Amino acid sequence: MSKRVAIIGIGMTKFGELWDKRYRDLITEAGADAIKDAGIDGEDIEGLYIGSMSPGLFAGQEHIGALVADYSGLSGIPATRVEAACASGGLALREAYLTIKSGAIDIVVAGGVEKMTDVSTSSAMIALMGAGDQEWEAFKGVTFPSLYALMARRHMVEYGTTIEQISQVAVKSHHNASLNPDAQFPFKVTLEQVMNSAIIADPLRLLHCSPITDGASAVVLASEEKAKELVDDPVWINGSSSATDTIALHDRKSLSRMDSTIIAGKKAYKEAKIKPRDIDFAEVHDCFSIAEILAIEGLNFCKLGDGGKITENGETEIDGRIPINPSGGLKGKGHPVGATGIAQAVEAALQLRGKAGKRQVKDAEIALIHNLGGSGATTVIHILKRN
Amino acid sequence: MSEGLAIHWRLIPQRYNLVGTECLKCGEKFFPPRQLCPNCRRVGEIREVKFSGEGEIYSYTVIHTPPEGFEFMKPYAMGVIKLIEGPFLTAQLVDCKPEDLEIGKRVELVFRKIIADGSSGIIRYGYKFKLKD
Amino acid sequence: MKVGIVGYGVYIPRYRIKTEEIARVWGADSKNISNALLIHEKTVPAIDEDTATISVECARNAVQHAKINPKDIGAIYVGSESHPYAVKPTSTIVAAAVDAVPELTAADYEFACKAGTAAIQTTMGLVKSKMIRYGLAIGADTSQGKPGDVLEYTASAGGSAYIIGTENLIAEIHDTYSYTTDTPDFWRREGQEFPSHGARFTGQPAYFRHVIKAAKGIMNKNKLKPDDFDYVVFHQPNGKFPLKAAQIIGFEKKQITEGLVTPYIGNTYSGSTLLGLAKILDDANEGEMILAVSYGSGAGSDAFIIEVTKENEKRRNPKPLQRYIDRKEYVDYATYAKFKGKIKGVKLEKP
């Protein structure tokens, strides 16, 4: 059994509406970048884990493992698609991590990909609703923004969270995205712009919602032995956890907190033998602005109910007490659902290597990445540490 | 994209009449129904139970960007309803204006068209809720 | 053996459009139309309402009022000229929704505006012959009028359901009598969206002839005359026709006023006579006599002699029609057109 597992290479496409790129172009581009970054060759790869939420509905394509291996020129190696809605990428990373940890193989690529712009917006919304309960939510005309709106309403009522505080999440994300050349929306927005943007599902507005995005990301994972042999700057995975909750939002114990995040967070901190205050920055799943508030509360960066306040106080900014989403998050960087969990690992590795440019978090040593599926039915968390 | 015919057909008692289940072992009631009690699992004893259709608004939103098929309903209200028997469900709130909605307001079940499968497919009916008079 | 009404239920949609709003769109003189048709406003079904949902709502109210076990309902007939399916019954949807399934018979009826009363007659026969314990008869419609046509001022939506049985009657049906001819005054051909009508031909040879013959026929048969009745209710295609028919037969205005609902809700077609009757039953007392006469184009009339029992005073309908009439929200013509699917492509359906 391998003692430790490291990220030794990272790669990512630009995120956005990539009209001239196909599903297979995106993932092979990200994968090739990651392998190049690791300074290894295709022959060194022993397995693939690909996170992809709904290629069947977005591109009519299933059987993703073989497709990706084929177009990467790696036919012959085992390849597995991992699916947990928007947490598909994070879960692919975890499966790759566990495989190396088991000692079965030493070098694995974990990738994530989604090509979302080949269908209409309303078809994309139907595909995304696959992450909810088809029989008891989607059938009724429920959309994902509306599920998060139902949570936002409860959070506002139970904790006095204001729409200004929720909007501040988006302002901060866009500010960070403006420093990220790979982001889908590399520009700033004002609080007024957020609060006056088109209403989507009351109280959530357009600028509280992550966009529909094409993109892919990949990381190369290696066993401790191989990592030390191959690279000078491995990023160590010190904690990996995953937890689930009810598929339908209405069956949750509470709508104002994210129990899967709370459970997975405790496990990850325990495995990494650290406390929340030891985290230098986090990439969390802000598919909607309220989700970031629920995430930072669930991860214990503040008390339950205080997420809006610490955002308003600037504590989550890049130079704040606990920088959240220096990449721009899902809101600013874009959210190609299956790619998101891996893209968070790419950002964390870049930051821990000290190579994040203008958005660099100073002296970052320990990072947490938090990837959510559906309305919170799956959470995947990883804790990463620089060499 | 529509559900298969049988998916809807086998759920008609649930979608028309809120037929859920309860576990005789622990007493918890389930709607939407569960065939395995999450508390007692294999030792649970599940039987059918019909819910009254009365409840209150636990949370709500007004959808302005609907999915395919629901475009001409917009804006429409969606609520998480707490049934008086305990369980929660998600349903549209009809015959009301957004400003009439409030957490805690009493609601009751109505029978409405949910969606049709194109102009020649079946019409799927089911529960929605309205504010109680 | 007595036969009669064990319970009944009504339903009309919440939305209304005023006569003057429709007249505004078509450049018509609204005062003139209002006076000529005696119509002030009509109900408008929401985009997610149709004859099946209206039937279910009034049927559930009827079961609730009758306080019966729905499994004891042995037959359900839904009369309508706007069944949501051309082939596939509305009555099975109702049967499932009131939980009367599976041991019962069910079918849909169509006889223009009198399909609901035809359903009552059928269930009367079934309960009297002891083939079933209770029958559920429904008249409901979401009727259509061609845009700009005179029908558009009245064609509305609503329904009423009656549980017919032989015990615990809130009203006894002493007799029923029908008058039927082949008279093409109003019709809708298969596949056509809107009905057509014979304009003034719908009056004297159609509505008036059948309603009057049926009313007189049943009174003669039972040796009764207009003053033996406390109330009379006719099919109400508009507010004027039933008033005129009442006058011709010899009823006084006070006998017909209670059940005249079309001026406020429009012509609910198959629901029309039954909603008028429900309005009377909501407040009627023991011993009061009601003459009800429906009319369906094509053409025919069903007449009923009904006597209210003590049970109706003990067991008042918890959801009276007036409550539904008072609960309303006005919409403009554009919203009405959207709700009714009059705008091309506007439907609550997946592609």
Side-chain angles (χ1 to χ4, degrees):
Chain A
M1 201 170 101
S2 173
K3 278 180 289 196
R4 292 201 288 171
V5 177
I7 294 173
I8 63 165
I10 57 176
M12 206 178 109
T13 65
K14 185 171 167 44
F15 279 7
E17 293 175 309
L18 309 176
W19 301 111
D20 56 347
K21 300 226 165 121
R22 299 175 299 172
Y23 182 91
R24 59 190 74 180
D25 299 329
L26 294 169
I27 185 62
T28 46
E29 180 186 325
D33 276 0
I35 292 167
K36 184 178 164 206
D37 182 60
I40 58 171
D41 241 339
E43 288 85 71
D44 301 320
I45 309 297
E46 297 169 281
L48 287 180
Y49 285 91
I50 306 298
S52 200
M53 176 186 167
S54 199
L57 292 179
F58 286 126
Q61 180 70 57
E62 306 287 10
H63 208 170
I64 294 310
L67 174 84
V68 175
D70 177 7
Y71 274 76
S72 307
L74 297 174
S75 282
I77 66 167
T80 307
R81 170 182 163 199
V82 179
E83 191 276 310
C86 306
S88 299
L91 208 58
L93 177 62
R94 179 166 157 77
E95 292 305 313
Y97 163 84
L98 291 173
T99 304
I100 294 177
K101 197 94 171 142
S102 77
I105 46 180
D106 288 313
I107 300 180
V108 177
V109 171
V113 53
E114 216 76 55
K115 173 74 196 172
M116 300 171 73
T117 61
D118 280 349
V119 297
S120 69
T121 303
S122 57
S123 295
M125 289 179 79
I126 286 187
L128 291 171
M129 252 331 276
D133 190 322
Q134 283 303 299
E135 289 178 357
W136 307 108
E137 290 179 333
F139 173 67
K140 296 286 175 187
V142 170
T143 59
F144 254 90
S146 67
L147 290 174
Y148 280 88
L150 290 163
M151 291 186 241
R153 176 97 52 203
R154 285 304 305 187
H155 205 275
M156 293 166 87
V157 165
E158 290 177 33
Y159 296 117
T161 300
T162 64
I163 194 68
E164 286 81 1
Q165 290 170 339
I166 294 171
S167 302
Q168 192 57 42
V169 173
V171 173
K172 183 225 31 161
S173 294
H174 269 271
H175 173 269
N176 295 353
S178 75
L179 308 172
N180 182 353
D182 286 326
Q184 183 169 5
F185 299 137
F187 52 82
K188 295 178 190 172
V189 297
T190 64
L191 190 64
E192 290 66 38
Q193 282 176 311
V194 177
M195 292 188 40
N196 292 322
S197 59
I199 187 90
I200 300 292
D202 181 54
L204 298 185
R205 293 175 178 271
L206 183 65
L207 291 179
H208 297 124
C209 307
S210 59
I212 285 171
T213 311
D214 301 326
S217 46
V219 292
V220 181
L221 300 191
S223 60
E224 181 164 5
E225 194 178 290
K226 286 280 180 192
K228 283 178 174 164
E229 177 190 318
L230 291 167
V231 296
D232 302 326
D233 56 355
V235 169
W236 300 101
I237 300 180
N238 281 6
S240 170
S241 70
S242 168
T244 53
D245 203 342
T246 62
I247 188 82
L249 182 71
H250 54 236
D251 281 331
R252 303 279 162 79
K253 290 197 178 69
S254 165
L255 262 53
S256 59
R257 57 165 210 259
M258 203 64 94
D259 282 349
S260 64
T261 294
I262 294 173
I263 296 167
K266 281 179 182 160
K267 281 191 198 163
Y269 290 133
K270 196 177 166 197
E271 185 182 342
K273 299 187 181 70
I274 58 164
K275 298 267 184 255
R277 63 169 178 274
D278 298 323
I279 302 291
D280 293 312
F281 75 94
E283 284 282 313
V284 306
H285 197 95
D286 62 324
C287 49
F288 300 92
S289 301
I290 183 67
E292 177 165 320
I293 289 174
L294 294 168
I296 61 180
E297 292 174 6
L299 293 167
N300 217 355
F301 296 143
C302 62
K303 278 196 318 210
L304 287 179
D306 280 354
K309 278 174 223 142
I310 72 162
T311 304
E312 199 170 39
N313 294 343
E315 292 177 47
T316 60
E317 289 168 16
I318 287 180
D319 54 0
R321 173 175 69 85
I322 172 72
I324 302 294
N325 288 334
S327 69
L330 283 52
K331 175 71 200 80
K333 187 175 59 175
H335 182 29
V337 286
T340 285
I342 302 286
Q344 292 175 324
V346 169
E347 174 70 12
L350 211 55
Q351 290 276 358
L352 295 172
R353 287 175 182 175
K355 302 260 172 64
K358 286 182 187 162
R359 62 183 192 279
Q360 180 65 46
V361 175
K362 231 176 120 196
D363 301 326
E365 198 177 320
I366 302 178
L368 181 147
I369 58 176
H370 163 269
N371 191 197
L372 209 61
S375 58
T378 298
T379 292
V380 184
I381 293 174
H382 286 90
I383 292 173
L384 309 178
K385 192 170 184 299
R386 83 174 176 213
N387 199 23
Chain B
M1 203 195 59
S2 301
E3 290 175 335
L5 285 179
I7 293 178
H8 180 68
W9 168 77
R10 75 172 73 92
L11 291 174
I12 279 176
Q14 288 73 35
R15 287 178 174 176
Y16 286 13
N17 284 326
L18 291 183
V19 175
T21 55
E22 66 179 332
C23 175
L24 296 174
K25 206 96 185 167
C26 69
E28 192 170 344
K29 293 185 164 72
F30 306 104
F31 193 90
R34 288 175 182 271
Q35 297 311 323
L36 186 77
C37 172
N39 310 314
C40 311
R41 294 189 289 275
R42 280 180 302 125
V43 295
E45 273 180 64
I46 292 286
R47 74 155 182 205
E48 274 193 356
V49 58
K50 193 179 160 185
F51 290 88
S52 66
E54 301 221 8
E56 61 174 57
I57 299 175
Y58 183 73
S59 189
Y60 67 92
T61 178
V62 179
I63 296 177
H64 293 260
T65 309
E68 221 162 34
F70 293 85
E71 292 89 344
F72 300 112
M73 286 262 345
K74 80 170 185 183
Y76 56 95
M78 190 67 73
V80 170
I81 308 299
K82 183 181 196 299
L83 297 173
I84 53 170
E85 294 91 345
F88 293 78
L89 57 79
T90 306
Q92 279 183 40
L93 294 158
V94 295
D95 283 1
C96 57
K97 293 186 173 133
E99 58 266 30
D100 301 334
L101 298 170
E102 212 176 289
I103 287 175
K105 273 201 175 171
R106 299 279 304 279
V107 292
E108 62 188 358
L109 174 115
V110 295
F111 186 82
R112 292 290 172 104
K113 185 156 98 178
I114 306 294
I115 195 83
D117 298 354
S119 57
S120 58
I122 66 154
I123 305 165
R124 293 157 197 268
Y125 297 94
Y127 59 79
K128 296 187 182 181
F129 282 76
K130 74 172 183 64
L131 295 175
K132 215 168 150 65
D133 298 317
Chain C
M1 188 203 295
K2 287 180 179 177
V3 59
I5 301 160
V6 185
Y8 63 95
V10 299
Y11 182 80
I12 54 172
R14 182 187 181 88
Y15 300 101
R16 303 283 187 282
I17 187 165
K18 289 186 170 164
T19 305
E20 62 191 64
E21 172 65 5
I22 301 173
R24 179 184 69 81
V25 172
W26 302 121
D29 178 350
S30 97
K31 270 225 170 66
N32 191 291
I33 289 164
S34 239
N35 290 338
L37 299 174
L38 194 57
I39 176 95
H40 311 303
E41 58 197 49
K42 67 167 190 174
T43 62
V44 177
I47 198 165
D48 57 354
E49 291 186 293
D50 62 18
T51 292
T53 67
I54 289 169
S55 297
V56 168
E57 290 291 343
C58 63
R60 282 178 172 170
N61 288 345
V63 170
Q64 191 191 1
H65 178 222
K67 291 190 162 65
I68 60 163
N69 179 351
K71 299 287 187 200
D72 290 334
I73 295 171
I76 297 181
Y77 298 101
V78 180
S80 180
E81 58 116 271
S82 53
H83 290 289
Y85 291 91
V87 178
K88 198 223 159 280
T90 307
S91 50
T92 56
I93 299 169
V94 175
V98 301
D99 199 21
V101 287
E103 287 184 74
L104 81 164
T105 181
D108 287 3
Y109 276 7
E110 188 280 310
F111 192 147
C113 297
K114 85 162 188 83
T117 54
I120 289 184
Q121 289 178 325
T122 312
T123 52
M124 282 171 68
L126 292 172
V127 296
K128 212 160 178 181
S129 65
K130 294 189 171 175
M131 281 175 68
I132 60 171
R133 185 166 176 196
Y134 299 114
L136 174 57
I138 300 170
D141 260 305
T142 53
S143 45
Q144 288 275 21
K146 221 179 263 176
D149 187 275
V150 65
L151 273 181
E152 205 191 5
Y153 294 95
T154 52
S156 70
S160 189
Y162 284 74
I163 290 176
I164 304 299
T166 57
E167 56 207 79
N168 289 321
L169 306 178
I170 58 113
E172 188 185 342
I173 301 174
H174 286 303
D175 196 13
T176 181
Y177 168 89
S178 295
Y179 185 86
T180 307
T181 69
D182 190 20
T183 305
D185 60 323
F186 170 102
W187 62 91
R188 179 165 64 83
R189 292 270 299 276
E190 180 72 51
Q192 291 296 303
E193 192 176 351
F194 299 110
S196 307
H197 59 82
R200 288 189 61 78
F201 182 68
T202 60
Q204 197 280 323
Y207 178 85
F208 290 106
R209 180 177 171 216
H210 292 80
V211 166
I212 292 165
K213 290 277 190 189
K216 286 187 170 167
I218 199 169
M219 283 194 287
N220 286 341
K221 194 176 152 209
N222 288 274
K223 299 188 172 53
L224 294 169
K225 48 191 193 313
D227 15 331
D228 293 323
F229 292 93
D230 298 280
Y231 307 100
V232 62
V233 57
F234 296 127
H235 172 55
Q236 310 165 20
N238 50 54
K240 269 285 166 65
F241 274 27
L243 282 176
K244 195 173 164 194
Q247 191 194 9
I248 292 169
I249 303 166
F251 286 98
E252 297 200 29
K253 201 167 175 188
K254 63 173 191 203
Q255 289 166 289
I256 195 163
T257 312
E258 188 64 33
L260 191 63
V261 292
T262 284
Y264 316 102
I265 66 174
N267 178 10
T268 54
Y269 283 52
S270 300
S272 178
T273 312
L274 297 180
L275 280 166
L277 175 60
K279 176 74 169 27
I280 293 168
L281 289 170
D282 283 341
D283 297 310
N285 296 320
E286 184 184 10
E288 289 187 322
M289 296 286 288
I290 304 166
L291 175 66
V293 185
S294 66
Y295 173 71
S297 290
S301 278
D302 301 326
F304 299 85
I305 291 170
I306 298 164
E307 183 178 353
V308 180
T309 69
K310 183 90 189 153
E311 182 72 11
N312 191 47
E313 293 178 45
K314 287 197 294 192
R315 186 156 54 82
R316 288 289 181 199
N317 196 311
K319 290 179 173 176
L321 181 58
Q322 193 61 47
R323 220 170 85 185
Y324 283 97
I325 293 176
D326 293 340
R327 186 176 48 196
K328 60 186 171 184
E329 189 182 327
Y330 290 105
V331 295
D332 60 10
Y333 192 91
T335 307
Y336 157 75
K338 174 177 144 179
F339 283 178
K340 289 287 291 171
K342 284 174 188 273
I343 301 171
K344 203 175 170 192
V346 174
K347 293 264 162 58
L348 181 56
E349 65 186 34
K350 300 221 168 180

